[in-house]
Structure formats: structure tokens, C-alpha cells
Amino acid sequence: MSESAIEARSVQRVYGSTRALIDANLVVAPGEIHALLGENGAGKSTLVRILAGLEQPDGGSVTVFGTPMSRASVADRTGRGMSVIHQDLGLVEALSVADNIALGARYPTRFGLVTSERVRRQAREALALLEIELDVDRPVAELPPAEQAIVAIARALRVGARLIVLDEPTARLHADEVRVLFARLDRLREAGVACLLITHRIDDVLRVCDRVTVMRDGRSVGMRNAQELDRDELVSLIVGRDTAKAHSGTRARPVPGAAVLELREVGAFGYGPVSLSVGEGEIVGLTGLADAGHHQIAQTISGALPATHGRIEVDGAPCALASERDAICHGVRYVPADRLVDGLAPNMTAAENLFLAGPQRGLWVRHRMERRATRDALEQFGVRPPEPDRELTTFSGGNQQKILLARSFLQTPRVLVLHEPTAAVDIGARYDIYDLLRRRCADDRCGALVVTSDLEEATSLCDRVIVMRAGHVVAELTGDSLALESVTQLAYGGTI
Ligand SMILES: Nc1ncnc2c1ncn2[C@@H]1O[C@H](COP(=O)(O)OP(=O)(O)OP(=O)(O)O)[C@@H](O)[C@H]1O
Ligand SMILES: [Mg+2]
């Protein structure tokens, strides 16, 4: 039998008082797509950092294609054919797509000089492997999150890896982009390349993976063949309890009140004209594939991409949302998709992040009030560990996302615009967050617009779903017509 691509045995890792890994075991065979699953904070990214050589384990062993990695550097691992894409992608945002892809390998040179034409050509070739065309001269910072993830993957493919580790590449991808990526992974598998995939999208796992390893609280609790599992079994394995209650399906839809947000024939770069409304107490989903224009609408309502025509009304009053400050003044609270770029302050504590834009009170009163509110918010959103004074960067990715959502709930806006709210949030916490949002909208009579690429989220969370294609609204679904198959079909260009 050939040697394993990865063999991790009894790996341990402690951070101060946190035992991130207690007993992690993982075996990935050459040429298989293997999913590493588990709730937020289970230890997946920690294990990936150890596999990548970025951190040393406190115990246990790791081999890559039969070679012990105890003293190996990141470069040694790349030499063994392993390429790792981390949860934060590791791109240099100020540099162009081409430069970012070149940074992964060695810059192509001619007579010792870097030629920009070659850098660009190689970048285009790498992107072509993923069947994606991008302007390689654009700075990565200007790209939407989905395209940033594609750049990171193209960079990994460019170094000729035999083993690719992807820490949540699909969290912010659209259904069509996920499909492209998985089609690519399928072909890599045929070529004998192994892939370790970390994702919270359970349905994708069952569709493409050969085997899964599930982690819980720092331990691996099982390895299974994906074909032998159904969705419910896999979810209970991940959350460690029966989840029948979590997604019980049918629920009473609230009767929406007067419109809190109304867009009339609004247009801006990338979409329009679009008309839509969100009623008091209502949760409206806005979804589509990568180029549908729903992300740009989120930006317009948040004040980041001012409308070039049309009218926006909040509570019936026209308002110019020319900046993010304008939006806040009009009672619109925006929760961004990219939590670390325009959402949270990485070096501050959880409590400080929750109250960055908090009320100004006497210092002492404020301190006490904030501590109580922080603890409540962390508990409510299932942030683990629920410690207000922990620095944000020491929380796992999904737990950071929960803190971002918790912050938006501490305010009382008229309109809550949530952009990819549960990307990176685990399957157990996701349904709790949906419940919190429903209760919030019903109790405060605020309206929520959920802008999401996750079609499953659009159908299971929202009262009404607006589907967009190529910058226009193509359908609005509610009641019995609101089903995943219909939304998917409409998003891809079909009719129902
Ligand atoms: N630098 C650090 N300092 C302290 N604790 C840390 C640090 N990095 C990770 N942890 C803790 O280790 C545990 C495992 O985190 P890890 O990031 O591996 O989780 P994960 O399974 O990747 O979760 P997610 O699905 O949310 O990305 C968490 O409790 C986290 O708070
Ligand atoms: Mg992680």
C-alpha cells in the first residue's frame, strides 16, 4: 500500500489555559478528497497550522508522504508537495492578483529580472486552471471575497501541489463558484492530488468528498466514508447531539408591517434598476450567483456604493445614503461580509469589539454595563469560549463571526443588512442564530435584508427571497413557492 499523504497521530496543542488540541488523529490517502469537519473552535485550523509547519505541536506526530515533519519548515513541506490555504487566505491585499499568485512560487524571471508580462501570463494560466477569468492587474483588495478565495486557490495550484489543504475555501463562495472549484478538485483527484477540505457546508461535503474526519473539542471523534453517511447523521456527529429540533422546517411566517426599507428603481455600478422593499418584522433574502449584483446592492444600502439613480426610503422618508455614516444616521445597520477588513478590530478584546460604536456614558457605569452585556451577548450567540477579555485573534474564525453578529444585535436599527451572515459559522450555531434573528425582527419590528450567496440559507432563514441575475431581480418567492430547488433553478437562469 502506498504511504499516506498526511498522517497525524495524537496531536496536542495548548494555548495558555486553552487546550485547542487534545488528541487529534487524521489520515489522508493520496488522491482522495477528505473533509475535516467540526463546530467552531473544535481545533480544525489549529491542526492545519501544525500540518503547515506554522506552529509546533505540544505532543504527537505528523508525517507528510511518509516523511516525519517534526523539524520541517513551511518550505520543506512545499517541497514535499503540500500547499496550504488558510482561513484568512494569506493574500497581500495591496498587491495585484498577478503578484499575489507569483508570491506563492518563485517570481518568473528573465536574465535575473522579474518581467511583469510573465508574471501576468502565469497568473492568467493559473486562473485558467480554475476556469476563471480575472483582471490580473487589479489589487486583491478591490475583489469581492469570492474572487479573493479563487486567487488563493490558483496560487496553491501553481506550485504543483500533490496535497492541497483548504481551510474553508467555500465559506464566502457562491453556489456557481463552489461548483467550479469542486469540479477542479475532482479533476485533481483523478490526477492523484489529495485534498483536505475544511468547510461548514455539509451538503457540499456529501457531494464531493470521499471520507470525512469529525473533530469535537480538540479530539477527532470519527472517520467515515462519505457515501455511508446521510445529512442528519453527519450533523449529529458534528454537534454531538441529535439535531432533529434544530431544523424543524415549517414555521409561522410573520405578517410584515409597513415598509421600513424601500428601493425604487435604484441602480449603481453593477446592477439596476432594482425595486424592492423590506417590511417591519420581516426577513427578506437577496441572493443569486457571483455576478448577480446582490453584493453591490448591500453596499449601496450600507452607503459604500452610492446609487447613481433611483430613490431609497427608510420608514417612508427618502434618504441619500452617500456614506456609511449616512446609513447609520438613517437607522441602517450593516454587517459586512469581511469581518476583518471593515468589521472588527483584530487586536482588541471581544468586549472592546462589541462596544466600538457603543453609547457614551460615564466611564464606570459604562464599564459595568458593557461587561454584563458582553457576557450575555457571547452566551446568546454561542461564542466559545465566552470570555469578554480575550483578544479577538485568539477566537476561531467562526467565533469571530458570531462576535460580529452579536455586535449588530446590541444596537436597535430600523433596518439590519446582513451580508453573508453565517459564512464560517458551524451548522449547530447557525440555526440558533437564525432563531435569534427571527425573534429580534419580531420583537423590535425592525426589518432585515439578508444578502447571501448560500441558497440554502436564503430558503431556510428568510420569509421572502428575492433572486437576482445579471443585475436584475428575476423572481420573488414566498410561502409555498419558497423552496431550495426553485431558488437554485432561478439563480442559474431557469424558470419555475
Ligand atoms: N493564538 C491563540 N491563543 C489562544 N487560543 C487560541 C489561539 N488560536 C486558537 N485558539 C483557540 O483554540 C481553539 C481551536 O481554534 P481553531 O481556530 O482551531 O478552531 P476551528 O475548528 O478552526 O474553528 P472555526 O470553525 O471557527 O474556524 C479555540 O478555542 C480557539 O479559541
Ligand atoms: Mg478555523
Side-chain angles (χ1 to χ4, degrees), residues 15 18 20 38-46 49 87 168 200 384-385 390 394-399 424:
Y15 299 103
T18 309
E39 287 187 296
N40 296 134
K44 305 177 296 295
S45 295
T46 305
R49 285 197 298 273
Q87 202 160 7
E168 283 196 60
H200 291 292
R384 283 199 288 164
R390 265 178 100 95
T394 71
F395 285 95
S396 76
N399 282 304

Side-chain angles (χ1 to χ4, degrees), residues 96-117:
S96 70
V97 170
D99 282 324
N100 266 286
I101 292 174
L103 275 176
R106 201 175 289 151
Y107 265 95
T109 56
R110 195 172 154 80
F111 307 124
L113 295 173
V114 175
T115 70
S116 65
E117 199 29 59

Side-chain angles (χ1 to χ4, degrees), residues 380-399:
Q380 226 185 0
F381 277 79
V383 175
R384 283 199 288 164
E387 294 169 9
D389 299 325
R390 265 178 100 95
E391 195 176 292
L392 192 83
T393 46
T394 71
F395 285 95
S396 76
N399 282 304

Side-chain angles (χ1 to χ4, degrees), residues 214-479:
V214 177
M215 293 189 61
R216 210 182 303 142
D217 299 329
R219 299 174 201 272
S220 32
V221 294
M223 176 168 72
R224 301 284 180 85
N225 284 331
Q227 280 147 339
E228 291 161 11
L229 283 169
D230 67 21
R231 192 177 194 282
D232 286 348
E233 256 178 297
L234 186 54
V235 173
S236 358
L237 203 57
I238 291 170
V239 301
R241 62 187 144 89
D242 198 0
T243 54
K245 113 179 192 298
H247 40 128
S248 49
T250 51
R251 67 194 156 88
R253 309 230 176 233
V255 180
V260 284
L261 174 73
E262 182 114 34
L263 268 61
R264 295 181 193 272
E265 303 281 308
V266 173
F269 177 73
Y271 74 90
V274 163
S275 297
L276 62 87
S277 75
V278 180
E280 259 185 349
E282 194 183 22
I283 303 176
V284 176
L286 187 61
T287 192
L289 301 183
D291 59 353
H294 53 308
H295 293 299
Q296 287 87 336
I297 293 185
Q299 289 176 309
T300 295
I301 302 170
S302 75
L305 176 71
T308 48
H309 49 277
R311 215 160 91 135
I312 300 177
E313 294 171 7
V314 175
D315 276 330
C319 49
L321 303 179
S323 67
E324 285 166 43
R325 178 170 280 270
D326 279 353
I328 292 169
C329 291
H330 283 98
V332 177
R333 171 58 58 180
Y334 175 61
V335 182
D338 197 335
R339 59 182 180 266
L340 290 184
V341 172
D342 37 21
L344 296 168
N347 298 317
M348 290 180 144
T349 65
E352 286 164 341
N353 268 286
L354 284 175
F355 285 95
L356 270 179
Q360 296 300 321
R361 299 268 175 85
L363 259 187
W364 190 72
V365 176
R366 184 177 165 187
H367 183 71
R368 266 199 351 178
M369 184 200 75
E370 284 182 2
R371 289 201 68 73
R372 195 173 330 120
T374 302
R375 277 190 192 283
D376 290 349
L378 297 183
E379 290 284 352
Q380 226 185 0
F381 277 79
V383 175
R384 283 199 288 164
E387 294 169 9
D389 299 325
R390 265 178 100 95
E391 195 176 292
L392 192 83
T393 46
T394 71
F395 285 95
S396 76
N399 282 304
Q400 292 179 16
Q401 179 67 22
K402 293 176 195 167
I403 292 171
L404 181 66
L405 286 171
R407 186 173 75 181
S408 71
F409 275 58
L410 288 171
Q411 290 131 7
T412 44
R414 286 300 285 155
V415 184
L416 197 52
V417 181
L418 301 160
H419 200 169
E420 307 292 359
T422 62
V425 171
D426 67 58
I427 189 89
R430 187 170 301 191
Y431 292 107
D432 293 340
I433 288 173
Y434 292 169
D435 283 344
L436 284 170
L437 181 61
R438 283 189 198 118
R439 232 179 301 142
R440 174 66 190 271
C441 288
D443 293 351
D444 293 359
R445 304 302 288 165
C446 66
L449 184 68
V450 178
V451 182
T452 178
S453 306
D454 185 341
L455 306 180
E456 148 79 44
E457 170 162 278
T459 37
S460 53
L461 166 64
C462 302
D463 305 315
R464 182 156 58 87
V465 172
I466 299 172
V467 184
M468 290 187 68
R469 214 160 55 216
H472 296 280
V473 171
V474 291
E476 249 188 67
L477 303 175
T478 185

